[in-house]
Structures are given as structure tokens and as C-alpha cells.
Amino acid sequence: MGGIDFRKGCYVGQELTIRTHHTGVVRKRILPVKIYPAAANEESQPPDKLEYDPDAEVVLPPPGTNISRVGARGRNAGKWVSGVGNVGLSLCRLEIMTDVVVTGEGSQWNAGQEFKIAWDAGEGKVEGGEVRVKAFVPSWHRNRVGARDLHRERNA
């Protein structure tokens, strides 16, 4: 189709587009996530599996809210997209929020690390709040990453 000229410069998203074209690495994915209360009680333990609970009393954050590490500083781990009940979708940095390694650089993931979505009160009906969030990598995605790595090893 020829929609992108990789020899021409100066267009929006040039650096990301060129890096992705040449390395084949995209460090973010939209993943299913489970949100749970940020309160310091037994119910706020990180979940083991992704389960929809229609009776969950969790306030959903506004779309586009940043996901960050609990008790740590640094770059955002992702962005909340949308959800219903206690599950949703988020754009997640794989090397921070999951154990999936997409490059030879390694991973910043820590099994004990928790992530939060915190937001201030906004216009309209949105009240400020904070919830915890855990990303889950679907098995089909893990299989695809493994197959890609095996393909690279065979062609090397």
C-alpha cells in the first residue's frame, strides 16, 4: 500500500514508527485487568485470576487515567481504557506490569509490586478516588511471544 515512506523525515510519530518497523518491538499492549479496592484490608489483596464480579463495589476510574506503581516513582506503567464491574482493559507497558519480556533488555517486573490508578475529582459526576489494578496476560499472547522468539532463534 505504501502509506509510509521510511526514507522521508519529519512526520508525527516518526521515531516510534521507525523503531517499530526496524525492530518489530511494541512495548505496550491492551490487556485485561482486574481492579480491586485500595483499602488496607483483606479484600484488597492482589487477585490470582481474572474473574468478573457483578456485585463488586469498585469505582471505575475515568478513561485515560494513568496507572502507576504503589509506593514507587518513575514512568507510568500504563493507562486505564475502560471497564465494567471489577474488570476492564488497560494499555500496559509489558516490561513493567507483566512478566512478558519483549526485548533483550530484560524486565522491570516484580511479582510483589502492586499498581494503582488514582484520579482527582473532575467535572460532572466523576469523584476522585484510587483503586488497585492487576494485569493478566492471555495465554494466546504468551504463546505468540514464545513462537516469535523461537522463530528468531531458528533464523539467527
Side-chain angles (χ1 to χ4, degrees), residues 28-134:
K28 298 177 187 175
R29 300 286 193 286
I30 293 183
L31 295 176
V33 295
K34 185 171 182 179
I35 58 176
Y36 55 102
N41 58 29
E42 198 170 305
E43 292 180 18
S44 68
Q45 295 300 315
D48 294 333
K49 56 185 175 178
L50 184 65
E51 288 182 319
Y52 172 66
D53 180 5
D55 299 325
E57 295 184 19
V58 180
V59 178
L60 294 176
T65 307
N66 290 329
I67 300 172
S68 59
R69 296 176 176 143
V70 172
R73 298 183 66 130
R75 66 191 324 186
N76 291 328
K79 284 194 181 290
W80 171 258
V81 176
S82 185
V84 61
N86 64 331
V87 296
L89 295 174
S90 289
L91 181 64
C92 303
R93 292 183 188 274
L94 294 176
E95 75 276 6
I96 297 176
M97 292 190 71
T98 71
D99 60 345
V100 175
V101 178
V102 293
T103 66
E105 298 172 8
S107 176
Q108 300 175 24
W109 181 74
N110 176 352
Q113 180 69 60
E114 284 191 277
F115 298 92
K116 68 179 181 178
I117 305 173
W119 66 97
D120 296 326
E123 296 180 20
K125 300 179 182 179
V126 179
E127 297 178 9
E130 181 179 314
V131 293
R132 298 288 193 264
V133 61
K134 182 171 181 182

